[in-house]
Structure formats: C-alpha cells, structure tokens
Amino acid sequence: MNIDQQKNFTKPPHSYWMDSTPQPEYPTLQEDIQVDIAIIGGGFVGISTAYMLHSQGLKTAILEADRILQGTTGHTTAKITSQHGLIYSKIKSQMSEEFAKQYADANESAIKMIEKIARENNIECDYVPQSAYVYTLQDWYIDKINDEVKVASSLGIKATYLEEIPLPFPIKAAIRFDDQAQFHPRKFLLPLAEKIAASGCQIFEQSRIVNIEENDKYVLITRDGKKVTAEKVIIASHYPCYNKPALYFTRLYPERSYIVAIKAKEKYPGGMYITAEEPGRSLRSQNSDQGELIFVVGEHHKTGQGEDTVKHYEALIDYANEHFTVENIPYRWSTQDCMTLDDVPYVGHFTSHTPNMYIATGFGKWGMTNSIASAMILKDLIIKGESPWQDVYNPSRQTILASAKNFIVENLNVAQNLINGKTQPLEHDTNIQKGEGKVIAANGQRSGAYRDEQGTLHVIDTTCTHMGCELNWNSAEKTWDCPCHGSRFTYEGDIVEGPAVNPLSVDKDVNTIEKLIKDDY
Ligand code: FES
C-alpha cells in the first residue's frame, strides 16, 4: 500500500475499540423514578463511579444521552499511566508540592485499581503492563525532562532519566515511568456495566438530560419529559451538560486529536511513548485479530477551529511512514478532550455551595487513570465526606486564579469565534459535490449544506443550540463542529457531543435550495 493509497480515505473513520466489541442495548427511561444517586453520562467515569457506589448499597441510576461507552471512552488511546506529559513539575511549581503528591497518588492508585477491578471480576481486557516514556528531540527540553524525573521520583513514582529509548530513532532525553499499563477500555467497562445492571443498578440509554430542577432534592428531566428524582447528582457527561451556576464553559475548552492504527513490517518494540514538545506524537501497540497494530496519535487542535481536518490524518500517516514500513492502515479515528485552565481535572463538588451535586470533567488527554481516580474521589466524598486527593482536583480550587491569563485567552477566543461566525461574509459558491460540506447562504441565512454519497442534500441552520456560536464543517468526520465549546452535530443536525442538549434546526426547504444550487451551476 503506497502513501497515496494510505491517504485515499474511502471508508468513514472507525475506532478499533468500537470495532472489536459488541454494543449492548439498555432501555430508554420510560417512567419517573427515584434514586439515591443519579449519574449523568455512561462513559468511563459514569460506569466506574456507579460500580463503586452501587456496591455501597446506594440506589444508583446512569442516564446516558446516547449509548454507553461510545464517546471518548470508545475513541481513546487507552494508556493507563500516571505519566501525563511533564505534569508533576508543573503542579509543584504552579500549585504546591502537596498538590503534586495528591495527583501522583491518585493516578498511581488508579493504575492499581483498574488491575484490581479486572482481576476481582474476571474481566479479560487485554491488560498488559508497560513502561511509559516522555521523550524529546530538542536540546532545550533536556533540563525539563531532568526536572520532571527529580520531582516525580520525590513523589514516590518509579521514574528514570534516559538518553536512549526502544524506538528506532535517536532522541535527546527521555523519562521512563515503570509499572504502567495498557488495556482495551471497552473490554474492561462493558462487562462492568453488565455486572452492575444485573445487580440492580439502572442504566438508561437514549435518555438525554435537558434540565435539572432543584427542590429539596434534584429533579432531572429527560428529553422525553421523564423525571429522575435524586438525593445526589453526578455530572459525568464529559463536557458538562449543565452549567448553572458554575459556568464551566468559561474554564474548559475542547480539543480534538487523531489516531491512525497501522500494520507495519517491523515488530513494535513495546512501551507507550509521547513527545514532550510540539508537534505532539504518541505511540503504543495493540494485539488484535488482525495481528499487531501500532497506534500513531497526535495533531490536536481546538474543536471547530483550524484547517481542513482531513490534513490531520494525513500528517500522522506521513509521520508513520517516516518511522515504520507501513503495510496497511486498518483503522483511523479521532477523539475529543476537555482541557482545563491549569491542566488538572475538575472533580468534586459542582460548586462550593452545592453539597449534593458533583462533577468530573477536564481530563485533558489523560482520561483512563483520571476517570477511575474520579470514581474513587466521588465515592469517598459521598460515603466519607472527604477524599485524600480532593484538594488538587477541587473544581473550586483557589489556584485556578493563577491561571487568570489562560482564562482571559480562552474566553477571548470564544468571543472572537462568536463574532467571526456572525460577521463572516457568506460564500455564494453553492456547487456542492458528493461527500462535501459547505457553509452557504440559503435564503440569506448562514446554513450548512452537505451532499451525501447518494446525492441527497442536507441543510441545517449552523447556529449552535448551546449558546449561539456558528458551526464549522469538519471534513474528516463529516460533522458540524462548534468553535466555542465543542458541541458537534451530524449533517442531519443530531447531537454527537454536548454541551448542546438540543439538535440543530433542519432547513425544511431543501428542495428550493437544491433548485437554487442547480440554477447556480
Ligand atoms: Fe457553546 Fe456551541 S457549544 S455555543
């Protein structure tokens, strides 16, 4: 397969994790219910937190907007590691040594907890112990690597400084963490969901929460108008689907990144790798029915912003060909991450004034250990009233104030995108080919048009239903993406990712638009 053939994308993106596991179905909520704990979101945090709380005897329900474990959990790289770039020196210098220690303990404990849950429940999830490496190709990063080794070691992590790593190219310096692991996240979580459902934890799919009312208890309302009355609520919907009064959208921003799974002539040397510098590149392997796959990962950018997204897959393919003899590319997919202002997740009480509402979000690119650490923190906060790691993860931590510059930069970026979307001159090029999406002026309104492979035109109103920013076309995934807070929609207007809770308006007058386009030819 030559490089042009590798870049000839005839099939839509599809994740290996999704392709190699079945998708069980859980019912939609059909009646009003009462529970102790309502968890919004059936991803890694939702399932694992329910597992921990349900085993404490609490009546728990999971409300998933779509299908469980299909979002970020089904599109991750699935590294189980406490090595999150060069995070420890950053937390120590910007927050405190105590916070760095809490973060290290939480993530090292999370590695052990995943292994423990798998073992205790006889879950076969391709769990493989691995070392994790951060490496640099640049001289000026050597001191940073050295510093991270010292800080991580002082926190009790097995960290080693290296000048060579097993990858087939020279580096300037690297840090290795031992006793890390990789696994198949859906092979781990689907049996766990099945187990908790069998023992009475309620899981509802296609049950999007569109509002939360607060009386003496919380009342969650689904899109179908059904009510879930709960003593306590956990928002684990990735980007929070509920913001009042915490305004999480002012301190979270979404990023997309890309993965190509290659088959190579060379055997992969083992290990999980990531660059310290930009452009970020990450590697790991995975045994599959098709033999050994190598995941080549990188190319992050803000959701809904930037160039033609197909170029990101192409850049990873170029990188793969520089370092391996690529024989085939069976899979490619992309994912979305929520980034915080200081790179540490927000896990704990939703605000300091909401003792019975909790949140877990903002895991950056490090969702595996942070998800299970979140489940452990939330369980402790609910059962014991405190967690040994609550301060560093506290969503209301005072140290976020130190990120004021990031706060201004991110919110200016949102404001700019809001204005640009409204003022951008509309093109009158309405020649839309099969498989192509474009912003067009339809009846004088900014509209999004996509022509499917059968030739049918789909036209939507590009105004995001979250807070009114204008959507942009994502050519790689064939979706309409919001540059403000990352909501994504199919070309038919259905929600792919929140925070939006309502679909897009569909232009009913497609025939007229089609005629205008034909006239334009
Ligand atoms: Fe907030 Fe679109 S996601 S305006």
Side-chain angles (χ1 to χ4, degrees), residues 381-399:
L381 288 177
I382 288 170
I383 302 294
K384 301 181 191 163
E386 60 181 4
S387 154
W389 315 316
Q390 66 189 27
D391 297 334
V392 67
Y393 283 92
N394 182 359
S396 307
R397 55 186 174 264
Q398 289 299 310
T399 49

Side-chain angles (χ1 to χ4, degrees), residues 239 249 414 418 464-471 482-489 498-500:
Y239 201 109
F249 59 82
V414 169
L418 178 62
C464 180
T465 56
H466 177 228
M467 291 175 68
C469 287
E470 295 295 332
L471 308 173
C482 183
C484 290
H485 316 108
S487 289
R488 299 177 59 232
F489 302 85

Side-chain angles (χ1 to χ4, degrees), residues 208-487:
R208 184 179 296 281
I209 300 301
V210 295
N211 199 9
I212 301 177
E213 292 171 357
E214 194 177 346
N215 303 317
D216 53 329
K217 295 182 179 176
Y218 286 107
V219 181
L220 286 60
I221 321 283
T222 70
R223 185 155 62 191
D224 297 339
K226 299 294 177 283
K227 292 183 178 173
V228 181
T229 304
E231 300 278 350
K232 295 177 188 290
V233 175
I234 296 172
I235 298 174
S237 56
H238 198 216
Y239 201 109
C241 61
Y242 180 76
N243 265 295
K244 291 179 282 185
L247 306 183
Y248 275 91
F249 59 82
T250 62
R251 48 195 170 114
L252 274 175
Y253 62 94
E255 276 200 356
R256 296 198 65 71
S257 48
Y258 296 78
I259 299 170
V260 293
I262 66 166
K263 290 199 68 177
K265 194 169 166 199
E266 302 84 2
K267 180 148 179 51
Y268 186 75
M272 309 181 295
Y273 304 86
I274 192 164
T275 52
E277 64 268 14
E278 297 292 338
R281 292 288 182 265
S282 163
L283 294 166
R284 67 160 279 193
S285 67
Q286 171 72 29
N287 285 333
S288 76
D289 290 350
Q290 302 167 55
E292 183 181 73
L293 300 172
I294 301 172
F295 296 167
V296 182
V297 188
E299 290 292 302
H300 65 97
H301 65 88
K302 283 192 178 162
T303 304
Q305 301 184 25
E307 58 186 357
D308 179 2
T309 47
V310 169
K311 290 193 175 131
H312 298 297
Y313 285 123
E314 292 177 344
L316 291 180
I317 290 170
D318 288 339
Y319 177 83
N321 279 277
E322 281 168 29
H323 298 295
F324 301 97
T325 311
V326 179
E327 294 179 330
N328 195 4
I329 304 183
Y331 299 98
R332 73 181 197 286
W333 68 92
S334 63
T335 192
Q336 186 150 312
D337 296 299
C338 291
M339 318 298 289
T340 64
L341 298 177
D342 58 9
D343 294 340
V344 174
Y346 305 137
V347 182
H349 292 287
F350 189 71
T351 72
S352 49
H353 306 295
T354 51
N356 293 319
M357 182 181 273
Y358 304 81
I359 190 165
T361 187
F363 301 159
K365 318 283 179 195
W366 307 107
M368 299 297 99
T369 52
N370 271 321
S371 287
I372 206 91
S374 298
M376 295 158 80
I377 292 168
L378 295 172
K379 186 202 88 175
D380 279 352
L381 288 177
I382 288 170
I383 302 294
K384 301 181 191 163
E386 60 181 4
S387 154
W389 315 316
Q390 66 189 27
D391 297 334
V392 67
Y393 283 92
N394 182 359
S396 307
R397 55 186 174 264
Q398 289 299 310
T399 49
I400 294 176
L401 296 176
S403 314
K405 184 168 157 244
N406 291 353
F407 177 87
I408 293 165
V409 168
E410 293 310 327
N411 285 288
L412 267 180
N413 179 274
V414 169
Q416 257 162 9
N417 275 286
L418 178 62
I419 293 163
N420 290 350
K422 302 294 180 196
T423 55
Q424 180 188 37
L426 295 177
E427 287 190 29
H428 289 273
D429 170 14
T430 49
N431 183 358
I432 299 168
Q433 306 297 314
K434 285 182 183 174
E436 192 180 12
K438 262 182 195 172
V439 174
I440 61 168
N443 301 325
Q445 300 288 319
R446 190 184 195 274
S447 300
Y450 170 71
R451 192 180 300 283
D452 67 26
E453 295 300 335
Q454 285 67 47
T456 305
L457 192 71
H458 304 265
V459 181
I460 49 89
D461 179 343
T462 54
T463 304
C464 180
T465 56
H466 177 228
M467 291 175 68
C469 287
E470 295 295 332
L471 308 173
N472 292 318
W473 180 241
N474 178 340
S475 57
E477 316 301 322
K478 310 259 186 264
T479 54
W480 292 102
D481 294 359
C482 183
C484 290
H485 316 108
S487 289

Side-chain angles (χ1 to χ4, degrees), residues 163-183:
E163 290 178 351
E164 288 179 358
I165 55 175
L167 289 177
F169 49 81
I171 58 155
K172 296 289 184 184
I175 175 169
R176 187 186 71 218
F177 280 15
D178 294 327
D179 301 337
Q180 313 288 296
Q182 64 185 42
F183 74 152

